[in-house]
Amino acid sequence: MHRYLKKAVCYLAILICVPYFVTAFLNGSGRGGSVEVDETYVRVESSESGDGSGNGADIADVDENGGGSKNRDSSGGRDVDDDSVKNSGSKERNGNNSNLRGSKKIIEMPLEDYGISVMAKEMPGSYKKEAWKAQAVLVRTSICEKMNQDGSDTVLEQSYLTDAQKKQLWGSNKYYSYYNKLKKAWEETDGEILTWKGKPAYAPFCRLTNGSTRDAKESLGEEYPYLKKVTCPKDLENEWQIQTTMEKKLDAKVTALDSAGYVKKVRVGEEIMSGEAFREKYHLASSSFILQKYAGKLRIITCGVGHGYGMSQYTANEMAKKGKTYKEILGYFYKKTKIREVAEIVQGEGGRKNQVGK
């Protein structure tokens, strides 16, 4: 009797949990269930301003050559620090599905639309399909991780591009071809996320490294052993690799680097701060930088674009050009992680297991 009761409880738990998670995370092409895309909604912070201009998302730094003058990377919804890791087509279905969160407007939109719109902000539309498929898995993983942490009350905060912004960025001639490329990348990786030890992985990425990615063990601790230092020689050829800025009357000196050449510590006056904090404070393109005194000022030379952790989008595209698949791309940057389907993780059995890195 006890055995039958235990089995009944397990089945009840599955019946309760699976619909929520499948609805929340899968975009419903039919591999893992019958959820339709148009019926799958998530709550997000609107990227549109009150006049519908979409001023909440900045597209000025998205460059078709894989660079950008601003910080272009993602930390999976977390703040990356050298010492620790802290924790389109929007649609209001009716008047009750939109509210305010402080000064931010909360709306509901289809998961697929949101995922594609986040992707559009993260990478140049001209990049190859397999690079986009890798990016789709990373974006879905970030969404899954966030919802796994916050539960049913999750409000997704990652900025995205509205349809109007996509057209502004890509131009009317390329809008449909680029949009369809992203849509196919999302659909062809339907439900897939990157996992570590059976859970959604923390999977940061950056626009362009300084020639290699960073080993997380050196700066973030033992928690992310799959984030290893790997070489990205093609990144050195990108036109945005070296950028220079000048600061007046700034007394600063780099005091510690990691093995990839990214700044761990920098002294500013009497204060010691992390390389990431310095990068953010002075709006640098990268946390790999050199400080030089020049003509009474401080010259800052940056290498790469972003924090240097995880996948280099530029190298991912170069790998795609050479025929590498999205699984091979992800395996290169996230060692020994696995691509799994969300339904498989929730149900605890069945589905596929694809180890993507050795």
Side-chain angles (χ1 to χ4, degrees):
M1 184 68 174
H2 177 72
R3 180 164 57 88
Y4 290 124
L5 180 60
K6 184 176 180 181
K7 183 179 292 186
V9 171
C10 290
Y11 283 134
L12 179 61
I14 290 174
L15 288 173
I16 293 173
C17 294
V18 169
Y20 166 71
F21 281 101
V22 170
T23 300
F25 301 133
L26 295 184
N27 59 358
S29 66
R31 277 210 308 241
S34 58
V35 181
E36 294 295 330
V37 173
D38 292 340
E39 296 175 357
T40 307
Y41 282 78
V42 289
R43 300 174 69 227
V44 305
E45 285 190 356
S46 175
S47 279
E48 290 192 358
S49 62
D51 59 4
S53 63
N55 292 333
D58 183 7
I59 67 171
D61 56 335
V62 183
D63 180 81
E64 282 300 300
N65 293 320
S69 58
K70 298 184 179 181
N71 303 344
R72 291 308 309 135
D73 53 28
S74 174
S75 306
R78 311 182 189 191
D79 295 325
V80 171
D81 189 273
D82 288 328
D83 296 322
S84 63
V85 177
K86 309 168 187 176
N87 280 331
S88 57
S90 59
K91 177 179 179 182
E92 297 177 22
R93 288 187 286 178
N94 57 55
N96 295 325
N97 287 328
S98 174
N99 55 19
L100 294 177
R101 188 189 193 200
S103 61
K104 296 285 188 177
K105 185 179 181 181
I106 307 304
I107 63 173
E108 290 189 355
M109 63 188 297
L111 173 61
E112 182 183 78
D113 287 357
Y114 177 70
I116 292 172
S117 297
V118 169
M119 289 167 62
K121 189 176 187 296
E122 298 293 359
M123 215 163 66
S126 59
Y127 276 16
K128 297 295 183 181
K129 184 178 176 181
E130 289 301 309
W132 275 115
K133 288 167 72 172
Q135 189 68 48
V137 172
L138 296 183
V139 168
R140 190 182 293 107
T141 300
S142 176
I143 294 172
C144 182
E145 185 191 29
K146 174 72 172 174
M147 298 187 79
N148 188 47
Q149 290 174 348
D150 296 353
S152 59
D153 294 328
T154 300
V155 174
L156 301 174
E157 301 170 345
Q158 192 168 355
S159 61
Y160 59 91
L161 298 186
T162 64
D163 285 343
Q165 288 174 316
K166 295 186 193 81
K167 291 177 182 177
Q168 179 186 346
L169 175 64
W170 296 333
S172 57
N173 292 335
K174 296 180 180 178
Y175 172 78
Y176 290 105
S177 63
Y178 283 178
Y179 180 83
N180 287 333
K181 184 194 300 184
L182 270 62
K183 183 177 176 65
K184 287 180 180 178
W186 185 266
E187 292 175 345
E188 290 178 14
T189 60
D190 179 25
E192 294 181 343
I193 64 171
L194 201 65
T195 67
W196 175 253
K197 294 185 177 179
K199 296 181 179 180
Y202 168 56
F205 54 87
C206 62
R207 180 63 57 82
L208 188 71
T209 71
N210 67 353
S212 67
T213 64
R214 307 174 71 174
D215 189 329
K217 183 178 180 180
E218 297 181 35
S219 300
L220 305 181
E222 303 284 348
E223 192 175 353
Y224 313 105
Y226 51 89
L227 292 175
K228 299 291 187 182
K229 178 182 176 182
V230 299
T231 59
C232 303
K234 284 292 184 179
D235 285 6
L236 299 174
E237 301 173 9
N238 186 276
E239 65 178 281
W240 291 96
Q241 175 60 221
I242 303 295
Q243 299 183 54
T244 303
T245 185
M246 302 291 290
E247 290 289 337
K248 297 179 179 179
K249 299 180 181 179
L250 181 62
D251 175 25
K253 181 180 179 179
V254 172
T255 59
L257 299 171
D258 66 14
S259 63
Y262 285 81
V263 176
K264 293 181 66 176
K265 297 290 182 182
V266 58
R267 176 189 59 76
V268 181
E270 299 299 320
E271 179 187 1
I272 300 295
M273 60 196 308
S274 72
E276 278 300 313
F278 186 86
R279 169 198 169 203
E280 293 175 4
K281 182 174 182 178
Y282 295 99
H283 309 289
L284 305 180
S286 170
S287 47
S288 174
F289 53 83
I290 299 170
L291 304 180
Q292 297 177 337
K293 292 181 179 180
Y294 179 78
K297 300 178 181 179
L298 185 70
R299 179 164 59 189
I300 307 175
I301 303 172
T302 59
C303 303
V305 180
H307 50 53
Y309 291 107
M311 186 182 80
S312 161
Q313 294 172 323
Y314 187 77
T315 289
N317 190 53
E318 292 299 311
M319 293 175 71
K321 288 179 181 178
K322 293 182 178 180
K324 298 295 185 182
T325 68
Y326 75 99
K327 292 178 181 178
E328 291 174 315
I329 292 170
L330 292 173
Y332 184 69
F333 290 104
Y334 307 96
K335 304 297 185 183
K336 296 185 179 180
T337 56
K338 293 179 180 179
I339 292 177
R340 300 178 68 182
E341 294 183 22
V342 178
E344 173 199 341
I345 295 173
V346 174
Q347 295 173 10
E349 60 182 354
R352 301 178 303 172
K353 294 184 180 180
N354 296 308
Q355 184 163 313
V356 298
K358 296 181 179 180

